[in-house]
């Protein structure tokens, strides 16, 4: 996949949707009975990059204070959704140690993963930071994870919703009607090519999580040093 072209296409469609009031509100963010949980292998950006992201979010908040903004603790890149979130899933249904061992087998001979966070893209319901892996290491890891889980008897739903190929981070979701979509897009446009920084991935996390990866609802099952 050409990530630049993919992000550009997403941005074009989303900006049109936002400016013509065809965006989508996430009605589940404040639903306290939301029971969608799953298992995710993820990467956390560096502290410096998260600080740079918060500078961007501060400007967004000035024009759209009522939207949902990700705190530092929740910002992540999804390596693989092992079990996509669904109603009623809980840890009693699986053996976490089996999942940890499968991830460990996927990390053998893995090269360093570096990701360059540069620019903004969007969907009709969210704003995202564009992530660009600097080589094939992330793709190779994902393919190993796919192969090892699909060759196992473990519960998994890898690629069931879509085949993951990007390295973005969602940082804002629309939860209320936009008050000033034009100004919102002005801020987004200002950061469209902003360099948030590059980082080397030092560890991965396997987590039990809700749909929004909120820290208070996340349980770390395993950490893997790279």
């Amino acid at each position: 996949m050409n990530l630049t072209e993919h992000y550009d296409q997403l941005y074009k469609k989303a900006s049109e949707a936002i400016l013509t009031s065809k965006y989508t509100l996430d009605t589940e963010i404040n639903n306290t009975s939301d029971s969608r949980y799953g298992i995710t292998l993820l990467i956390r950006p560096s502290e410096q990059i998260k600080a740079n992201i918060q500078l961007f979010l501060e400007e967004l908040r000035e024009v759209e204070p009522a939207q949902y903004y990700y705190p530092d603790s929740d910002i992540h890149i999804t390596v693989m959704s092992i079990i996509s979130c669904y109603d009623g899933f809980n840890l009693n249904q699986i053996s976490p140690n089996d999942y940890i061992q499968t991830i460990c087998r996927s990390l053998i001979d893995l090269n360093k993963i570096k990701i360059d966070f540069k620019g903004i893209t969007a969907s009709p319901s969210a704003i995202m930071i564009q992530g660009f892996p600097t080589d094939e290491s992330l793709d190779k890891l994902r393919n190993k994870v796919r192969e090892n889980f699909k060759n196992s008897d473990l519960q998994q739903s890898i690629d069931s919703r879509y085949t993951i190929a990007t390295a973005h981070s969602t940082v804002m979701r629309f939860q209320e009607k936009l008050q000033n979509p034009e100004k919102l897009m002005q801020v987004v446009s200002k950061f469209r090519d902003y360099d948030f920084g590059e980082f080397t991935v030092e560890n991965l996390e396997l987590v039990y999580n809700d749909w929004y990866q909120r820290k208070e609802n996340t349980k770390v099952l395993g950490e893997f040093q790279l």
Side-chain angles (χ1 to χ4, degrees), residues 129-148:
I129 310 295
Q130 298 180 157
F132 297 91
T134 61
D135 63 17
E136 301 299 313
S137 297
L138 180 58
D139 281 343
K140 288 179 180 177
L141 170 60
R142 283 171 166 161
N143 287 333
K144 285 184 179 180
V145 171
R146 284 187 179 99
E147 181 181 357
N148 286 331

Side-chain angles (χ1 to χ4, degrees), residues 18-189:
I18 291 165
L19 293 172
T20 57
S21 298
K22 294 178 182 175
Y23 55 85
T24 306
L25 298 183
D26 190 322
T27 58
E28 295 296 311
I29 290 175
N30 296 308
N31 177 7
T32 55
S33 61
D34 185 0
S35 63
R36 294 173 297 168
Y37 279 79
I39 301 290
T40 308
L41 183 65
L42 56 78
I43 292 166
R44 305 282 185 191
S46 68
E47 293 303 315
Q48 182 58 58
I49 286 174
K50 287 190 283 190
N52 292 340
I53 290 171
Q54 290 302 331
L55 292 174
F56 166 58
L57 296 186
E58 283 174 17
E59 294 204 27
L60 290 183
R61 277 194 191 91
E62 289 182 10
V63 296
E64 287 291 344
Q67 306 310 323
Y68 180 84
Y69 294 92
Y70 278 64
D72 277 356
S73 61
D74 301 356
I75 293 174
H76 66 282
I77 297 168
T78 298
V79 174
M80 190 67 70
S81 181
I82 308 294
I83 298 176
S84 296
C85 291
Y86 68 87
D87 280 322
F89 172 70
N90 64 68
L91 284 176
N92 296 333
Q93 299 170 21
I94 65 166
S95 170
N97 195 50
D98 291 341
Y99 287 73
I100 291 168
Q101 290 179 12
T102 304
I103 298 296
C104 286
R105 288 199 299 275
S106 305
L107 299 177
I108 296 170
D109 297 327
L110 179 68
N111 293 330
K112 286 287 187 184
I113 297 172
K114 291 185 179 180
I115 296 174
D116 185 17
F117 266 143
K118 188 169 186 180
I120 305 298
T121 190
S123 75
S125 62
I127 304 295
M128 299 168 280
I129 310 295
Q130 298 180 157
F132 297 91
T134 61
D135 63 17
E136 301 299 313
S137 297
L138 180 58
D139 281 343
K140 288 179 180 177
L141 170 60
R142 283 171 166 161
N143 287 333
K144 285 184 179 180
V145 171
R146 284 187 179 99
E147 181 181 357
N148 286 331
F149 274 99
K150 289 183 177 182
N151 288 335
S152 77
D153 295 325
L154 301 175
Q155 180 186 162
Q156 54 89 11
S157 57
I158 290 171
D159 298 334
S160 61
R161 287 174 57 220
Y162 56 88
T163 300
I164 191 165
T166 66
H168 69 273
S169 279
T170 301
V171 293
M172 173 204 185
R173 292 183 184 270
F174 305 150
Q175 64 178 353
E176 303 284 350
K177 181 181 177 182
L178 294 174
Q179 298 303 304
N180 206 322
E182 292 83 6
K183 282 191 176 179
L184 171 70
M185 291 311 298
Q186 285 175 12
V187 174
V188 171
S189 178

